[in-house]
Amino acid sequence: MPLEFLKRRDKQPARAAAPVAEPEAIEAEDYQLRLHYLAKASEGVRLKAGPQAMRELPGMLVGLTENEIEVIEPLAIEFQEAAPAIQRPSEALQWLNAHHDHSPIARHALLVLESVGAVDLAYDTFVVSLLHGETDTSGFPEYNAIVGGVASHWDEGTGDMIVRAVVGWGGRGVRGDTDRTATKILGGLLKNVLASQYAMGLTAVERPVPAAGRGGLVCAHCGFASAHERAFYCPKCGMRLLRG
């Protein structure tokens, strides 16, 4: 007598899965972060070359700030690729290593002004402070606080010092009255620069352009390489340039 349980059972056809109805509208969560960085810079003021003119730079902020005034020197040659761009890790790491000793106010100012191209520490000496507004509990300026001061470099043609008034602000927000306040502060800074005993008046001078890679006119003192073939003086340290 055959064993019933050993017999193969006919397989039942698989049931087709019921189609899933597509929604008429897709529900999505939106995420957004808007950062606004803004800056203003004046025309250049030509100052007679000399160490005394450089020492006057911090005094050009007196009367416009009650906060610490910091002097930020141009970047050393080992940090020449530094940039506040986290998407390029090697440049961001150089930037952090170059500026980690500065105050939160100075780092915020550099982030804003370097991001928009108002200051270039490849050759600029930057004197900076908090000029208007408040800081948060960590010491960083609020989005509507105004930072800035004066940026200077040496004229590549004459060796004179060129000083610009520079202000910036920004972050997670924007206010309409900040622009008007910044313009007023910029005017005060420019007035202080023109009041220097070494000032020779306003001047329109082309900003220096660092040479890409090797070659060009190279400063034997600080290593700065200029892309301007007719340059005679280093915009970073004021020394005579040598052909590389």
Side-chain angles (χ1 to χ4, degrees):
M1 181 176 179
L3 299 176
E4 295 294 333
F5 68 89
L6 293 178
K7 292 183 179 180
R8 291 186 177 181
R9 298 180 180 180
D10 295 334
K11 294 183 178 180
Q12 298 294 328
R15 294 182 180 180
V20 179
E22 295 184 3
E24 295 182 0
I26 297 176
E27 295 185 4
E29 293 186 38
D30 294 330
Y31 299 89
Q32 180 176 265
L33 172 62
R34 290 186 178 181
L35 297 177
H36 299 267
Y37 293 150
L38 302 99
K40 293 178 180 290
S42 72
E43 294 181 83
V45 177
R46 187 179 297 276
L47 273 67
K48 294 179 182 179
Q52 294 299 327
M54 181 67 74
R55 295 190 187 102
E56 282 206 353
L57 294 179
M60 295 175 182
L61 276 64
V62 173
L64 296 172
T65 180
E66 297 179 355
N67 299 283
E68 179 186 2
I69 298 173
E70 296 182 59
V71 179
I72 302 176
E73 300 289 344
L75 292 171
I77 192 168
E78 61 266 27
F79 298 127
Q80 61 183 348
E81 300 297 327
I86 195 170
Q87 67 271 25
R88 297 191 291 273
S90 61
E91 297 178 16
L93 183 60
Q94 283 194 25
W95 194 87
L96 290 172
N97 289 334
H99 302 305
H100 71 277
D101 286 336
H102 296 312
S103 71
I105 291 173
R107 291 201 303 273
H108 174 79
L110 290 174
L111 172 63
V112 172
L113 296 172
E114 286 189 283
S115 295
V116 300
V119 168
D120 189 343
L121 289 186
Y123 52 82
D124 275 330
T125 295
F126 185 39
V127 182
V128 62
S129 184
L130 177 65
L131 303 175
H132 176 79
E134 304 294 335
T135 60
D136 61 19
T137 55
S138 300
F140 288 93
E142 298 286 358
Y143 71 90
N144 60 335
I146 299 171
V147 293
V150 293
S152 71
H153 68 271
W154 304 95
D155 189 331
E156 293 179 294
T158 65
D160 295 330
M161 181 185 291
I162 306 299
V163 181
R164 297 176 299 123
V166 184
V167 296
W169 66 98
R172 300 186 181 187
V174 62
R175 283 182 54 176
D177 59 343
T178 307
D179 188 279
R180 294 189 296 271
T181 304
T183 300
K184 182 178 179 180
I185 294 174
L186 188 72
L189 285 168
L190 181 59
K191 182 179 179 180
N192 284 358
V193 177
L194 288 169
S196 169
Q197 60 179 319
Y198 301 101
M200 295 185 287
L202 295 171
T203 182
V205 177
E206 184 179 0
R207 292 179 66 182
V209 179
R214 297 182 178 180
L217 299 172
V218 181
C219 178
H221 179 257
C222 68
F224 180 86
S226 175
H228 292 159
E229 292 298 327
R230 296 183 179 180
F232 291 99
Y233 295 91
C234 174
K236 181 177 178 179
C237 68
M239 301 292 286
R240 291 280 296 193
L241 290 172
L242 301 176
R243 187 168 298 278

